[in-house]
Amino acid sequence: MMSPQTTLETGIPQISVHRVEADGVSVFYRAAGPVGAPVVLLLHGFPTSSFQFRTLMPLLASRYRVIAPDLPGFGFTEVPAERGYKYSFDALAGTLAAFTEALRLERFALYVFDYGAPTGFRLAMAQPERIAAIISQNGNAYEEGLSGAWAPLRHYWQAPTAENRQAVRAVFSPEGIRMQYTFGVPDPEVIAPEGYTLDAAMVGRPGNDEIQLDLFLDYASNVKLYPAFHEYFRRWQPPLLAVWGRNDPFFVPAGAEAYRRDNPNAVVQFVDTGHFALETHVVEIAAAMNEFLAAPLGGWGREAD
């Protein structure tokens, strides 16, 4: 049997998969790029996993060590029942912090998308000296970035009754998940089915819907933390790139523009697509990231030399 080709043989960086124990959780993650290179930590959102970065990682891995974990409740990360895990964004951030410690990631750039934003921003506030830069791809931190599509969830936050909890379950249907990928995409036929099909299968596992409903309810805690996120941006001024699918039905362009209010040096770019911008514009986003990350970023930038 022939062995897998190496990066040197193909010229294409290879993605490897791993597990590490962190915070009592078996965290599954993907990695690519030289072990000693500066690190870019990729944080996925709902309802996906590190799989969403499958095409982005090889485009960054010639220069950077790219690491993408599956958050608890998503993908292939496993949470033992005896762990008694409480699914909240504070808990996700705590597990992520333990994950970075387990991998000895001392300083890194953050790529945040959707749920990855409030999770990553909690980590950044707790350990700001470790954050070299932030790339927010439709990762919201401002009230004006929330579209009218959040109305049912806001109702659930205000009145978390069994009836209102049941009302938001439609989001978990295969059709609802597919819509998140295709809405706002000029040509939906370019969206490969693997992403939303895998997401639907993972979200549909027994008991996972209750995990997701708990996180939906706790999303209100992220909105309450927005002022703290803004204070972090103002005080620490991390180099920040907001690259945004302008047709996102959930996080509208005003959320990207708002980063400039607290971080005047933030770079804002839009691409003509929806929420899952990597599905249609991965080449453009990778190019923007490589250009952004190549700029001087204090000590982190010098470590790349």
Side-chain angles (χ1 to χ4, degrees), residues 48-70:
T48 189
S49 67
S50 60
F51 184 72
Q52 80 167 92
F53 300 117
R54 65 197 180 280
T55 54
L56 177 65
M57 295 176 73
L59 300 180
L60 302 176
S62 62
R63 300 181 182 180
Y64 305 103
R65 180 66 172 171
V66 191
I67 298 172
D70 287 355

Side-chain angles (χ1 to χ4, degrees), residues 121 136 139 141-142 233 240 242 244 255-263:
F121 294 156
S136 176
Y142 292 87
F233 298 142
L240 193 147
W244 219 265
E257 297 283 6
Y259 280 109
R260 290 190 175 124
R261 186 166 65 235
D262 295 303
N263 191 338

Side-chain angles (χ1 to χ4, degrees), residues 191-228:
I191 303 292
E194 293 92 318
Y196 57 78
T197 301
L198 177 63
D199 291 352
M202 290 296 194
V203 169
R205 289 175 294 183
N208 192 269
D209 58 342
E210 297 301 324
I211 290 171
Q212 301 306 328
L213 287 167
D214 287 348
L215 288 172
F216 273 15
L217 183 61
D218 191 60
Y219 200 93
S221 72
N222 300 328
V223 179
K224 291 178 182 178
L225 272 180
Y226 282 176

Side-chain angles (χ1 to χ4, degrees), residues 156 159-169 213:
Y156 178 39
T161 64
E163 181 180 5
N164 289 337
R165 189 174 175 94
Q166 181 66 25
V168 298
R169 286 182 186 271
L213 287 167

Side-chain angles (χ1 to χ4, degrees), residues 28-50:
F28 174 94
Y29 68 99
R30 304 172 198 266
V35 172
V39 172
V40 180
L41 185 63
L42 307 172
L43 302 184
H44 68 82
F46 172 85
T48 189
S49 67
S50 60

Side-chain angles (χ1 to χ4, degrees), residues 11-210:
I12 302 172
Q14 301 296 296
I15 299 174
S16 56
V17 297
H18 310 267
R19 286 189 178 276
V20 66
E21 294 294 322
D23 191 30
V25 174
S26 176
V27 180
F28 174 94
Y29 68 99
R30 304 172 198 266
V35 172
V39 172
V40 180
L41 185 63
L42 307 172
L43 302 184
H44 68 82
F46 172 85
T48 189
S49 67
S50 60
F51 184 72
Q52 80 167 92
F53 300 117
R54 65 197 180 280
T55 54
L56 177 65
M57 295 176 73
L59 300 180
L60 302 176
S62 62
R63 300 181 182 180
Y64 305 103
R65 180 66 172 171
V66 191
I67 298 172
D70 287 355
L71 295 173
F74 297 89
F76 298 103
T77 284
E78 298 174 354
V79 181
E82 58 270 21
R83 170 66 174 77
Y85 200 87
K86 176 178 172 57
Y87 287 89
S88 68
F89 284 88
D90 280 346
L92 297 186
T95 301
L96 178 63
F99 172 77
T100 62
E101 294 290 344
L103 267 58
R104 299 181 181 178
L105 305 182
E106 296 182 359
R107 191 159 165 80
F108 45 88
L110 271 177
Y111 179 113
V112 298
F113 165 75
D114 191 85
Y115 276 13
T119 304
F121 294 156
R122 279 171 166 80
L123 179 64
M125 288 194 305
Q127 299 177 320
E129 69 285 349
R130 300 177 68 188
I131 307 303
I134 294 172
I135 300 93
S136 176
Q137 187 257 294
N138 296 74
N140 193 60
Y142 292 87
E143 278 275 5
E144 55 262 55
L146 298 174
S147 76
W150 286 84
L153 277 181
R154 288 184 185 273
H155 189 54
Y156 178 39
W157 300 341
Q158 294 165 1
T161 64
E163 181 180 5
N164 289 337
R165 189 174 175 94
Q166 181 66 25
V168 298
R169 286 182 186 271
V171 178
F172 306 146
S173 70
E175 295 78 14
I177 290 174
R178 183 177 183 275
M179 181 279 294
Q180 294 187 49
Y181 277 77
T182 59
F183 189 96
V185 178
D187 180 10
E189 294 300 316
V190 305
I191 303 292
E194 293 92 318
Y196 57 78
T197 301
L198 177 63
D199 291 352
M202 290 296 194
V203 169
R205 289 175 294 183
N208 192 269
D209 58 342
E210 297 301 324

